[in-house]
Amino acid sequence: MALAAHDIEVGGHAVRWYDSADEQGLAPANVRLTVLWHHGTPNIGEPPAPLFEASAARGIRWIGFDRGGYGGSERTPGRSIADAARVALAVADAAGAERFAVMGHSGGGPHALATAALAPERVVAAVSGAGLAPFGAEGLDWFAGMYAGGLAELEASVRGSADLQAVLEAGEFDPAMFTASDFRELEGRWAWFNHIAGAGMDQGLGGMVDDDLAYVAPWGVDPRAIAVPTLIVHGDDDRIVPIAHARWLAAAIPGAQLLVREDAGH
């Protein structure tokens, strides 16, 4: 059974969103919790299929959406982290999810946290996995520990869209971004990531450019204002988003818990 995809309009732009319920065999009466998934860069917004079986047994339904410039969603240049989080709230409305949790991986982490900050009356809990902290966060050396290719990409983002576009066009896959444990996971259960990353490039580089520019701009919300239970998960050998980002977020968000995965990458 294919994952259900739906199209809506938000702010005059087409947005594609996904619902795992049919794929999981979850009837509406059996759904105990909906989790809104925020994808990384460059991905599409299909929720994490490797978690569907275990989630179904617990009555957990997943929804997700393509950020502007990815998959079936129209590009919206200049979008901020908070702008995409507002789209997430519209997707939750379309899915009939008045109350829900949020989870984001990598570049999806800031978007999940922003959704929680924007809508504490709707978001019951937040999870950020391998996610970035705000650019310019006080006391954080934001670029320290990033692998060379990721560092060049995000430094170009600071210089602007033209430099970033040039760096991305010239870039090639650099295996140094991943650890041995990353590769084992990507060749096994989490090979699903290869599908959503490939599909994330179907519209070209636009979504990736807009994501990267948003990461080095103000989020539009303050993660320190998050008032719901928050879990920060990170590998201590992450070369894409160094663990110092997770430590900053865990210290900044009131009551947040930090779960460090030893000898784990991104």
Side-chain angles (χ1 to χ4, degrees), residues 92-103:
D93 289 341
E98 177 59 30
R99 300 271 286 165
F100 54 94
V102 291
M103 180 175 179

Side-chain angles (χ1 to χ4, degrees), residues 101-122:
V102 291
M103 180 175 179
H105 173 257
S106 190
H111 293 92
L113 295 176
T115 308
L118 281 172
E121 75 285 358
R122 299 186 65 181

Side-chain angles (χ1 to χ4, degrees), residues 86-171:
R86 293 184 186 97
V87 174
L89 296 176
V91 167
D93 289 341
E98 177 59 30
R99 300 271 286 165
F100 54 94
V102 291
M103 180 175 179
H105 173 257
S106 190
H111 293 92
L113 295 176
T115 308
L118 281 172
E121 75 285 358
R122 299 186 65 181
V123 175
V124 299
V127 180
S128 172
L132 289 158
F135 184 68
E138 185 178 359
L140 174 65
D141 187 346
W142 203 79
F143 293 110
M146 293 182 180
Y147 82 101
L151 174 63
E153 178 181 327
L154 290 170
E155 286 184 333
S157 302
V158 177
R159 297 192 298 271
S161 60
D163 277 7
L164 173 59
Q165 182 84 24
V167 167
L168 292 176
E169 288 175 352

Side-chain angles (χ1 to χ4, degrees), residues 127-261:
V127 180
S128 172
L132 289 158
F135 184 68
E138 185 178 359
L140 174 65
D141 187 346
W142 203 79
F143 293 110
M146 293 182 180
Y147 82 101
L151 174 63
E153 178 181 327
L154 290 170
E155 286 184 333
S157 302
V158 177
R159 297 192 298 271
S161 60
D163 277 7
L164 173 59
Q165 182 84 24
V167 167
L168 292 176
E169 288 175 352
E172 297 181 354
F173 173 72
D174 183 356
M177 74 174 70
F178 293 131
T179 65
S181 64
D182 285 328
F183 282 112
R184 285 194 298 271
E185 293 293 341
L186 291 170
E187 292 166 1
R189 182 185 180 200
W190 287 94
W192 166 82
F193 266 120
N194 301 322
H195 156 64
I196 65 164
M201 298 302 294
D202 286 349
Q203 282 200 49
L205 292 171
M208 194 172 184
V209 167
D210 297 340
D211 269 356
D212 284 349
L213 293 175
Y215 299 143
V216 298
W219 284 13
V221 294
D222 188 345
R224 289 170 292 196
I226 294 173
V228 302
T230 301
L231 175 64
I232 308 297
V233 184
H234 219 99
D236 64 359
D237 196 21
D238 194 328
R239 300 171 184 174
I240 297 175
V241 180
I243 194 171
H245 288 248
R247 298 194 191 282
W248 188 94
L249 287 166
I253 299 169
Q257 295 184 25
L258 174 62
L259 174 60
V260 176
R261 300 290 302 275

